[in-house]
Amino acid sequence: MHLRGSVIPGACLAFIAFVCVTRSLSGMPVALPIFRAEFPEQAQGDTLAFDVASVRRNLAGENGQGADKPRMNFPIGSDDAYYNTGGVFSATNLPLISYLIFAYKITNNNRQALIDSAPPWVNSEFYNIEARTDRKSVTKDEMRQMMQSLLKERFHLYAHTESRETRVYAAELDHPGKLGIQLRPHPIDTPCQREGGDNEDTKRFTPSFDPQGFPLVCGRFVNAIKTLQAHHRRIGGGDLAMSQILSSFTGVGNLGHPVVDRTGLAGKYDFVLDFLPDPPPGSEEPADASGPRFVAAVRSQLGLKLIADKASIDFVILDHIEHPTPN
């Protein structure tokens, strides 16, 4: 076990990032807005670090023979799904990039820029990390800050933010003041499933749904919801900020560039989206496939239109990382 004492620099590493523009850009404003992601900052002078931690390479995860199933004791994605573990962090057989994504709350929008700046082994080497803080009640963002400290101390990680002008989709309300039928403000009195393993955990999370089909979850996304239409994909989430919902569109919709929030919608929302995914490259569309593609479904079901535009986006860029020091 390894005693922790270092602190990641107090500068906030912001991020957000990548979503595809499928039609030509026109009418671009001269002054481009800058979009900055919320980031779990630590107060100046604070020292947030695990009291003890162990980092071990998981070689089984790399050869695929008898590999441990990836698992963690709480969801470590960029969303807010979390439950108190008594100050314990435990994850097995995850690539190092997964720990970076957790520590810096990297959304789908920002991941490619981070991956492009990292050496290949960050994606291909798998690690088990067990860590504990003596504080018995910590938030998910505090756990993120402790993981930052661990990565800096053990992997000698240094990173910076870089603002880049890039193509984006700007999400706006299709009709001012009106939401789509499958997007709603999160009801305060809605019962929520807050606990249960992540979908990569040994304890598979199985959500419940209300009569309208919205998942009864708080602060998290739900993938692979059962759909009645062949070849469709159905996703959803509950108690999410609009920026969180939109940041998922990059990967889910196979868009390729950031989606930025111009809806003006504050508060938390529930949503369900059903769409026909694009066929994999080189594959033919099934003869019986029908239904709206992702962008059309977002408009008809959520009441949001995605407009091709440009904006300055803050990306997290990796400057330096090394293989971990011994425990």
Side-chain angles (χ1 to χ4, degrees), residues 8-120:
I8 200 140
C12 167
L13 297 179
F15 46 82
I16 64 190
F18 72 100
V19 163
C20 151
V21 178
T22 58
R23 53 184 184 269
S24 62
L25 303 176
S26 62
M28 299 299 176
V30 176
L32 298 172
I34 297 177
F35 294 88
R36 303 185 186 279
E38 293 183 5
F39 183 76
E41 289 187 86
Q42 63 188 60
Q44 189 171 5
D46 280 357
T47 301
L48 287 177
F50 293 113
D51 291 287
V52 291
S54 171
V55 178
R56 299 187 184 279
R57 178 94 172 266
N58 189 318
L59 296 175
E62 294 160 34
N63 60 37
Q65 300 298 318
D68 297 323
K69 185 174 181 179
R71 61 183 185 271
M72 61 288 296
N73 65 336
F74 64 85
I76 65 169
S78 60
D79 61 23
D80 295 330
Y82 180 69
Y83 46 92
N84 191 0
T85 64
V88 175
F89 178 94
S90 177
T92 300
N93 195 24
L94 296 179
L96 184 59
I97 192 69
S98 294
Y99 297 105
L100 293 171
I101 287 169
F102 166 68
Y104 295 108
K105 208 171 183 179
I106 304 295
T107 66
N108 284 343
N109 276 348
N110 186 245
R111 290 180 188 179
Q112 195 58 51
L114 178 68
I115 291 169
D116 289 345
S117 67

Side-chain angles (χ1 to χ4, degrees), residues 228-262:
L228 298 178
Q229 221 164 335
H231 314 295
H232 274 224
R233 183 177 179 186
R234 190 173 179 87
I235 64 168
D239 196 25
L240 295 165
M242 186 53 55
S243 60
Q244 291 177 294
I245 295 173
L246 296 176
S247 71
S248 72
F249 286 3
T250 296
V252 172
N254 193 28
L255 298 177
H257 294 288
V259 175
V260 296
D261 183 7
R262 292 184 189 161

Side-chain angles (χ1 to χ4, degrees), residues 24-320:
S24 62
L25 303 176
S26 62
M28 299 299 176
V30 176
L32 298 172
I34 297 177
F35 294 88
R36 303 185 186 279
E38 293 183 5
F39 183 76
E41 289 187 86
Q42 63 188 60
Q44 189 171 5
D46 280 357
T47 301
L48 287 177
F50 293 113
D51 291 287
V52 291
S54 171
V55 178
R56 299 187 184 279
R57 178 94 172 266
N58 189 318
L59 296 175
E62 294 160 34
N63 60 37
Q65 300 298 318
D68 297 323
K69 185 174 181 179
R71 61 183 185 271
M72 61 288 296
N73 65 336
F74 64 85
I76 65 169
S78 60
D79 61 23
D80 295 330
Y82 180 69
Y83 46 92
N84 191 0
T85 64
V88 175
F89 178 94
S90 177
T92 300
N93 195 24
L94 296 179
L96 184 59
I97 192 69
S98 294
Y99 297 105
L100 293 171
I101 287 169
F102 166 68
Y104 295 108
K105 208 171 183 179
I106 304 295
T107 66
N108 284 343
N109 276 348
N110 186 245
R111 290 180 188 179
Q112 195 58 51
L114 178 68
I115 291 169
D116 289 345
S117 67
W121 65 269
V122 169
N123 296 289
S124 62
E125 290 188 3
F126 289 64
Y127 288 88
N128 302 343
I129 295 183
E130 303 285 336
R132 176 179 57 79
T133 172
D134 290 340
R135 300 167 61 184
K136 299 304 181 184
S137 181
V138 294
T139 67
K140 189 171 185 177
D141 281 347
E142 287 171 336
M143 278 283 194
R144 295 187 200 277
Q145 293 166 24
M146 293 177 190
M147 182 58 65
Q148 292 171 32
S149 295
L150 185 152
L151 293 169
K152 179 172 174 59
E153 180 183 345
R154 297 297 301 280
F155 292 87
H156 304 288
L157 170 70
Y158 293 94
H160 73 279
T161 56
E162 185 175 299
S163 183
R164 299 176 181 175
E165 182 183 305
T166 186
R167 294 180 179 182
V168 301
Y169 269 134
E172 299 180 359
L173 287 172
D174 194 24
H175 300 287
K178 184 179 179 180
L179 303 180
I181 192 171
Q182 291 175 201
L183 175 67
R184 71 180 184 190
H186 177 74
I188 297 176
D189 58 350
T190 296
C192 285
Q193 292 176 276
R194 295 182 180 274
E195 299 193 6
D198 191 77
N199 60 4
E200 291 184 310
D201 203 343
T202 53
K203 184 180 177 183
R204 183 172 290 274
F205 177 76
T206 304
S208 299
F209 299 86
D210 71 7
Q212 287 72 47
F214 290 94
L216 297 175
V217 297
C218 284
R220 70 182 299 164
F221 294 92
V222 178
N223 292 309
I225 301 172
K226 185 177 180 180
T227 178
L228 298 178
Q229 221 164 335
H231 314 295
H232 274 224
R233 183 177 179 186
R234 190 173 179 87
I235 64 168
D239 196 25
L240 295 165
M242 186 53 55
S243 60
Q244 291 177 294
I245 295 173
L246 296 176
S247 71
S248 72
F249 286 3
T250 296
V252 172
N254 193 28
L255 298 177
H257 294 288
V259 175
V260 296
D261 183 7
R262 292 184 189 161
T263 64
L265 296 174
K268 299 296 183 71
Y269 292 84
D270 304 337
F271 82 101
V272 177
L273 184 67
D274 188 289
F275 63 98
L276 179 66
D278 293 324
S283 301
E284 292 186 6
E285 186 90 279
D288 59 341
S290 63
R293 298 296 187 186
F294 182 80
V295 173
V298 167
R299 189 166 193 167
S300 63
Q301 298 170 28
L302 305 186
L304 304 176
K305 56 185 177 182
L306 301 178
I307 303 170
D309 207 341
K310 272 190 173 182
S312 290
I313 301 289
D314 279 350
F315 293 85
V316 174
I317 305 299
L318 210 58
D319 295 315
H320 181 82

